[in-house]
Amino acid sequence: MRQPPAELLKDRVQSELKLHPRVTYQHAFADAAARDQLAAALPLLVPFGEHEYHDALAILDWDHRLPSRTLILRIYTYYDAGSAAMGMSAYLARAAEITRRDRFPEFDVPDYEGLAADEAYDIPVDLAGKVDKPKLVSEWRRRVAAPAADLAVELVRRSPQFKGLATANRSPYLGDLEAVGWCPPCEGEVTRWTVDVWYLTDFDGLIGRGFSFAVDPVTKTVLTARELLVRAAENAR
């Protein structure tokens, strides 16, 4: 029987946490007590859809500063043995590259961003062990299949939250409701994965304002509606 997600990830942080050399140089999270504290502070990660976590990698990465200000806990999760093997291979290759280039502490070296994984999360961690909100960084989060996207948009359109918006003076160039991606529970502060539907009400060329609706495609309900502020360079939260 597979471990529940929380137990699996806690175990990987407590007993198998991998440290970037530049984190090791700074003696950060070197002892068991610090790792136990970090493991206890982990937010709950829920596998997407009907998947389960077969395995995971936990890597404490550096912020390209010496001394560091905020480290990045990268959590890479895998649904089966095949993807886990690919993830470990990618980790070992990156570790070898870092070792080759880690010659002089004043020079920059690569980090562990972008390794192969079924789900990838970045979690900011300060040097005292305080954990910030996780962010799903897997590129597939932006790919919502047409049936789910269309359903989410229609559910928002019919919802009282959307009908209550004052949009009489809204410019038509801002477009319609748009399903922009999948949102995991740890980001949406709900218990299920949702489709994130955006509706812009204003855009000045740099910053867009509007509303974000969290839609549960399983129960076909709009769970939350909140104000949205997004910069033009961002295409996901």
Side-chain angles (χ1 to χ4, degrees), residues 2-229:
R2 292 181 177 178
Q3 289 177 287
E7 292 183 12
L8 173 66
L9 299 180
K10 182 177 180 180
D11 177 71
R12 294 299 179 269
V13 171
Q14 287 179 314
S15 61
E16 300 181 27
L17 181 66
K18 304 181 187 309
L19 304 181
H20 190 286
R22 297 294 169 92
V23 175
T24 302
Y25 296 160
Q26 298 175 77
H27 307 290
F29 297 89
D31 58 75
R35 298 184 187 200
D36 289 347
Q37 177 185 344
L38 182 59
L42 280 177
L44 178 64
L45 302 184
V46 178
F48 178 72
E50 300 300 319
H51 294 290
E52 296 181 6
Y53 292 151
H54 170 81
D55 208 344
L57 279 172
I59 305 171
L60 198 57
D61 215 346
W62 80 313
D63 59 355
H64 295 261
R65 294 187 179 97
L66 287 175
S68 288
R69 299 177 186 173
T70 301
L71 303 176
I72 304 170
L73 178 60
R74 302 195 194 276
I75 300 291
Y76 293 108
T77 65
Y78 305 96
Y79 299 152
D80 55 46
S83 64
M86 291 178 62
M88 179 56 71
S89 178
Y91 165 75
L92 293 174
R94 187 71 57 82
E97 179 186 4
I98 291 170
T99 298
R100 286 195 301 271
R101 296 174 58 178
D102 187 23
R103 300 301 183 190
F104 303 98
E106 65 269 28
F107 292 161
D108 202 6
V109 295
D111 56 32
Y112 287 101
E113 182 180 14
L115 298 186
D118 291 310
E119 293 173 23
Y121 294 87
D122 284 355
I123 308 175
V125 179
D126 70 17
L127 297 182
K130 183 179 179 181
V131 172
D132 206 343
K133 190 174 183 178
K135 180 178 178 61
L136 176 70
V137 294
S138 300
E139 290 186 3
W140 62 259
R141 77 170 296 168
R142 302 181 184 91
R143 299 192 293 269
V144 182
D150 293 344
L151 172 63
V153 166
E154 186 57 30
L155 289 170
V156 171
R157 197 183 308 281
R158 300 200 309 256
S159 70
Q161 297 98 317
F162 180 71
K163 291 179 179 179
L165 296 181
T167 59
N169 298 321
R170 180 177 176 271
S171 299
Y173 78 87
L174 293 171
D176 198 3
L177 290 160
E178 181 183 3
V180 298
W182 289 100
C183 185
C186 62
E187 286 188 38
E189 298 178 352
V190 294
T191 58
R192 302 181 64 91
W193 282 76
T194 56
V195 177
D196 199 4
V197 178
W198 285 6
Y199 188 71
L200 291 181
T201 56
D202 182 65
F203 180 61
D204 63 7
L206 178 63
I207 296 177
R209 293 176 173 82
F211 295 86
S212 171
F213 301 87
V215 181
D216 182 350
V218 177
T219 61
K220 299 182 180 180
T221 54
V222 178
L223 298 180
T224 63
R226 61 180 180 80
E227 291 187 1
L228 172 71
L229 181 69

